């Protein structure tokens, strides 16, 4: 029954992404593994604050997963997080918060998971620095909309209230994150969404970094991803 519900949720999400792609909402230049931020590249990506009211959608209220949507840690000892580049749109100094939505347009997303060591033990006090595009595929390069830092609790858990990011040329939907264990190195990666119609055209996409969609009704999604840190 649960598998059937997840298949339906994933199918709904895939259909919604296809509809989004057809409406052509992307408005940003593609990132590049070798690119670095510049005044020109920063200004080319309009911030949510600069969007017109007619192009915005109302940000949904934070959502909380139902008990049946909560996912236990998934970890195989020694199978650790795949690192990826940070891209050109990272900004230091994001505020500490678990809800990074602000007034960003997009469908509500609650992303939860655990930070674990390479032997699948929870890592308490790890910091996670998230940033992403809004539902229209645009980053806020002038402020901290859809940017935020949080710390895992004693069980190594995190929860991020945000929106489903939009596509833009060359990139599928993705959420950036830097994760740092206490007194440890920082690992940078990107999280993706299964069955997106743009995954095959994104040279950075790897299925091992797909989130697990636990529920989706067209207006809000809950998803899960565990970050297993290298030794």
């Amino acid at each position: 029954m649960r598998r059937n519900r997840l298949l339906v949720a994933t199918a709904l999400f895939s259909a919604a992404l296809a509809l989004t792609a057809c409406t052509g909402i992307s408005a940003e230049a593609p990132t590049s593994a070798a690119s670095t931020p510049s005044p020109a590249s920063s200004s080319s990506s309009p911030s949510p604050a600069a969007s017109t009211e007619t192009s915005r959608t109302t940000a949904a209220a934070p959502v909380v997963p139902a008990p049946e949507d909560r996912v236990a840690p998934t970890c195989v000892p020694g199978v650790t997080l795949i690192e990826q580049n940070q891209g050109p749109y990272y900004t230091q100094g994001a505020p500490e918060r678990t809800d990074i939505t602000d007034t960003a347009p997009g469908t509500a997303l609650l992303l939860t998971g655990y930070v674990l060591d390479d032997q699948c033990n929870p890592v308490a006090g790890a910091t996670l620095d998230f940033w992403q595009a809004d539902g229209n595929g645009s980053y806020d390069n002038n402020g901290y909309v859809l940017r935020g830092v949080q710390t895992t609790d004693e069980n190594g858990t995190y929860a991020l209230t945000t929106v489903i990011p939009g596509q833009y040329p060359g990139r599928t939907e993705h959420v950036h994150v830097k994760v740092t264990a206490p007194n440890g190195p920082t690992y940078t990666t990107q999280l993706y969404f299964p069955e997106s119609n743009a995954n095959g055209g994104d040279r950075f996409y790897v299925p091992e970094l797909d989130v697990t969609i636990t529920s989706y009704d067209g207006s809000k999604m809950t998803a899960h991803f565990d970050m297993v840190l290298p030794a």
Side-chain angles (χ1 to χ4, degrees):
M1 178 68 72
R2 176 177 176 82
R3 176 177 174 81
N4 289 340
R5 188 169 65 82
L6 290 180
L7 288 173
V8 170
T10 302
L12 285 172
F13 179 54
S14 180
L17 292 180
L19 178 61
T20 295
C22 290
T23 60
I25 60 173
S26 300
E28 187 174 341
T31 61
S32 168
S35 62
T36 56
S38 68
S41 65
S42 295
S43 61
S44 67
S45 174
S47 70
S51 302
T52 62
E53 290 302 317
T54 56
S55 67
R56 301 170 72 88
T57 58
T58 302
V63 293
V64 177
E68 64 269 21
D69 292 326
R70 298 180 188 275
V71 179
T74 55
C75 178
V76 176
V79 179
T80 59
L81 190 69
I82 297 173
E83 293 187 77
Q84 295 201 312
N85 69 57
Q86 71 176 24
Y89 299 121
Y90 175 66
T91 300
Q92 293 183 336
E96 294 186 11
R97 55 184 182 165
T98 59
D99 185 342
I100 64 174
T101 309
D102 295 312
T103 58
T107 301
L109 168 65
L110 178 65
L111 176 63
T112 64
Y114 298 83
V115 176
L116 309 165
D117 66 20
D118 68 321
Q119 295 304 306
C120 302
N121 301 305
V123 179
T127 60
L128 299 103
D129 189 348
F130 291 99
W131 73 102
Q132 64 168 84
D134 64 22
N136 293 332
S138 295
Y139 287 82
D140 175 14
N141 293 315
N142 301 310
Y144 294 104
V145 175
L146 293 175
R147 302 175 186 269
V149 177
Q150 60 178 277
T151 304
T152 57
D153 63 14
E154 65 275 9
N155 298 312
T157 62
Y158 72 89
L160 179 72
T161 299
T162 182
V163 298
I164 298 173
Q167 301 172 10
Y168 53 89
R171 295 308 316 270
T172 189
E173 298 86 350
H174 62 283
V175 176
H176 296 270
V177 60
K178 290 179 177 288
V179 55
T180 309
N183 302 314
T186 296
Y187 301 96
T188 302
T189 195
Q190 303 178 42
L191 309 183
Y192 301 95
F193 295 81
E195 304 301 325
S196 170
N197 62 343
N199 286 346
D202 189 323
R203 65 193 180 97
F204 298 113
Y205 170 75
V206 290
E208 291 84 357
L209 293 174
D210 277 347
V211 302
T212 298
I213 298 172
T214 57
S215 68
Y216 180 62
D217 63 5
S219 64
K220 61 181 179 294
M221 175 187 289
T222 61
H224 185 96
F225 189 86
D226 294 333
M227 303 184 195
V228 183
L229 303 182

